[in-house]
Amino acid sequence: MSGTNIAPNQPLIRVENLCKAYNLDHPENQSACHQVLFNINLEIYPGEFIAIMGQSGSGKSTLMNILGCLDTPTAGSYWLAGRNVATFSSDELARVRNRNIGFVFQGFNLLKRMTALDNVAIPLLYAGMNRSESRKQALSFLQQTGLGQFTRHYPNQLSGGQQQRVAISRALVNQPQLILADEPTGNLDTQTSQEIMALFAQLNRDRDITVILVTHEDDIAAYANRLIRLKDGHIVQDETRSTTTV
């Protein structure tokens, strides 16, 4: 998938009859299975900004994990950039997660003993870039997210909003086609949340990056131009709409 360009009229993501169940007891005991997703059908196109909403237990984080190649469906198929993810080798899955998908989480997931600069450089090092060049590129992305003066700071020396900007820089540094953000403002105050969402909107608008975020908050979802709502593992709403002005 790396380096693949998808035409705007072709879906970046296509999900067909996707189901997910977890066995809570023993593999041979099918009655112990807990079904989380039921026959999900979905197409997402390059450059879309999508919010996935739903109550706790609705399946939204499970769906996000499958879209991020962090989990696999029990049934159905997931096509990413024109390829069936089920055909990817473990090495290909690792490359996709490193180079084609940027992840942003509620808890930031920064390494506490590394500076902001080195946290952002990690995906480049995993991709095989040398340390000097990776730090140069990491600096560029920190500057673009307004943290150029905080490169030597450790996570515990940064505010929550600053830590999330580091996490966003890390997600962007390999210039992915897709950003997946799971409750990215969940640990932030209202003003900082608005700043982070404005940054996502800018990235989506100016770089044409596809953004998919999970949120419980209507005001956060308002930044997206498409809303997908899950209930009990089913899509109950999928609509395109106007967005919050930023």
Side-chain angles (χ1 to χ4, degrees):
M1 177 182 163
S2 182
T4 300
N5 291 318
I6 302 298
N9 62 341
Q10 297 296 318
L12 174 63
I13 286 171
R14 178 161 55 92
V15 169
E16 296 181 344
N17 300 315
L18 187 143
C19 300
K20 181 63 181 182
Y22 293 100
N23 197 307
L24 304 180
D25 189 9
H26 300 288
E28 65 275 7
N29 184 359
Q30 295 302 310
S31 64
C33 284
H34 173 60
Q35 185 114 1
V36 181
L37 296 174
F38 299 82
N39 297 316
I40 301 295
N41 289 282
L42 187 63
E43 289 186 346
I44 296 173
Y45 289 81
E48 286 199 270
F49 189 166
I50 294 174
I52 300 177
M53 299 191 73
Q55 296 180 347
S56 296
S58 62
K60 57 188 184 300
S61 290
T62 299
L63 178 59
M64 180 75 85
N65 287 338
I66 292 173
L67 296 182
C69 300
L70 300 171
D71 200 356
T72 56
T74 308
S77 59
Y78 170 29
W79 296 74
L80 180 61
R83 285 193 59 190
N84 189 335
V85 172
T87 67
F88 288 12
S89 68
S90 57
D91 286 344
E92 285 178 309
L93 285 171
R95 283 195 296 271
V96 166
R97 290 190 293 262
N98 176 252
R99 300 179 185 181
N100 299 97
I101 303 174
F103 297 92
V104 181
F105 301 98
Q106 178 178 346
F108 317 134
N109 288 12
L110 302 178
L111 296 178
K112 297 179 180 180
R113 297 186 179 182
M114 300 183 75
T115 64
L117 184 66
D118 288 331
N119 265 284
V120 175
I122 287 173
L124 296 170
L125 293 171
Y126 285 159
M129 185 177 292
N130 65 57
R131 180 176 173 81
S132 176
E133 184 60 26
S134 67
R135 297 189 79 188
K136 180 179 177 180
Q137 289 200 29
L139 173 60
S140 174
F141 279 89
L142 282 169
Q143 290 171 336
Q144 292 174 46
T145 55
L147 291 178
Q149 69 272 42
F150 296 100
T151 58
R152 297 185 180 180
H153 286 61
Y154 291 88
N156 65 1
Q157 298 173 314
L158 299 171
S159 69
Q162 289 169 336
Q163 289 185 63
Q164 194 60 292
R165 286 176 180 270
V166 174
I168 293 170
S169 299
R170 181 183 58 192
L172 292 171
V173 75
N174 268 329
Q175 302 183 60
Q177 295 170 289
L178 173 65
I179 289 181
L180 300 178
D182 195 352
E183 298 283 2
T185 62
N187 289 333
L188 306 177
D189 59 65
T190 300
Q191 180 177 343
T192 306
S193 295
Q194 292 172 348
E195 293 172 356
I196 293 299
M197 291 310 302
L199 178 57
F200 277 125
Q202 180 183 0
L203 293 168
N204 170 254
R205 181 180 62 248
D206 295 348
R207 299 193 183 194
D208 206 31
I209 295 174
T210 305
V211 178
I212 305 174
L213 68 90
V214 162
T215 182
H216 285 93
E217 305 295 334
D218 288 328
D219 58 335
I220 298 301
Y223 284 84
N225 54 32
R226 182 177 169 191
L227 172 64
I228 296 172
R229 192 179 300 272
L230 295 177
K231 182 178 181 180
D232 299 329
H234 299 270
I235 293 178
V236 296
Q237 181 181 3
D238 185 352
E239 65 177 23
T240 301
R241 58 195 189 155
S242 59
T243 61
T244 293
T245 301
V246 294

